[in-house]
Amino acid sequence: MSPSDAASASASPVNYGGAATPVGFREIRYDLCVGSGAALHAEVMADVDSWRLHHESGLLVSANGAASEIVGETIRMRYRPLRRTVPITITTVHCAILWAGEPPEGPGLDLLPGSIDRGFGYEADPRHREEGQEHFLITHEPDGTVWFRLRGFWRPRAPRWSPIYPLTLLGQSYASHGYLRALRRLTQQR
C-alpha cells in the first residue's frame, strides 16, 4: 500500500449514522417497502443476515457465518451479475463487518422512533480501490410496515482511482438495484 493509500485509509470514517454524509463521499440511499408484519420482518432479516440477498443479487460471499455472527471479521465478495449464464467475476471486494443487530444511532440511517431496526453494515478494507461503507437495515415500523433500507457512502481510495470512478458509480448503482430486484423476487416467493 502506498503512503497516500495508507493516509486515505486512516481517514475513513468510523461509522455511518452521524449527522451527515462524510465530506467528499457520494451517498447512496434506497428504500423499498416489502410488506407488513413481524413475520415478514423476521424473514427478510434472515435473508439479509444469511447473505441470501447478496447471493440472489449476483454476489458470491465468502464468510464464516451469518453477518450477525462475524462482526469484526473480513469477508470476500465476488461480483458475478450473470453467474448463472456467464461465470465471470467483474470485481472482488473485501469488507469488514462493522456492526450487526441493532444499528448505531444517528440521522444518517434514518431510524424512526418506535420502529424495530435490525441489519448490519460493512466497510471496504484497504485492498479495495474505493473506501466507504454499506448498511442494510430492515425496519418494522409501529404501523406494521416493513422496509428495506440500503444506506452507504463511497469515494475513490486514492487519486489514481478517480479517472475510473464514473464506471465504479455505474457498477455501484447496478449492484444496489440488484439488491432491490433480489429482495422483490424473494418477497414475491413468500
Side-chain angles (χ1 to χ4, degrees), residues 57-76:
S57 66
L59 286 162
L60 302 176
V61 179
S62 298
N64 294 323
S68 59
E69 300 168 349
I70 57 170
V71 173
E73 291 187 27
T74 297
I75 61 167
R76 183 182 74 189

Side-chain angles (χ1 to χ4, degrees), residues 49-113:
D49 188 47
S50 69
W51 306 108
R52 184 173 182 198
L53 177 66
H54 285 68
H55 289 284
E56 291 292 322
S57 66
L59 286 162
L60 302 176
V61 179
S62 298
N64 294 323
S68 59
E69 300 168 349
I70 57 170
V71 173
E73 291 187 27
T74 297
I75 61 167
R76 183 182 74 189
M77 294 184 291
R78 292 177 292 146
Y79 187 51
R80 289 186 174 175
L82 304 173
R83 68 187 164 124
R84 292 184 176 108
T85 55
V86 183
I88 297 173
T89 298
I90 292 178
T91 190
T92 300
V93 181
H94 294 83
C95 295
I97 307 295
L98 296 173
W99 64 271
E102 289 187 32
E105 291 189 28
L109 295 180
D110 301 325
L111 305 179
L112 301 173

Side-chain angles (χ1 to χ4, degrees), residues 87-145:
I88 297 173
T89 298
I90 292 178
T91 190
T92 300
V93 181
H94 294 83
C95 295
I97 307 295
L98 296 173
W99 64 271
E102 289 187 32
E105 291 189 28
L109 295 180
D110 301 325
L111 305 179
L112 301 173
S115 67
I116 300 170
D117 303 289
R118 298 290 182 271
F120 72 91
Y122 51 61
E123 178 174 46
D125 84 352
R127 289 175 272 194
H128 193 50
R129 64 184 165 266
E130 288 183 290
E131 65 178 318
Q133 298 177 12
E134 210 162 46
H135 301 266
F136 301 83
L137 294 169
I138 310 303
T139 300
H140 186 202
E141 293 185 350
D143 69 358
T145 307

Side-chain angles (χ1 to χ4, degrees), residues 8 11-16 18-27 131-132 152-156 165:
S8 180
S12 182
V14 174
N15 205 338
Y16 195 42
T21 302
V23 175
F25 286 82
R26 178 183 177 270
E27 183 178 41
E131 65 178 318
F153 55 87
W154 299 97
R155 73 175 178 191
Y165 193 56

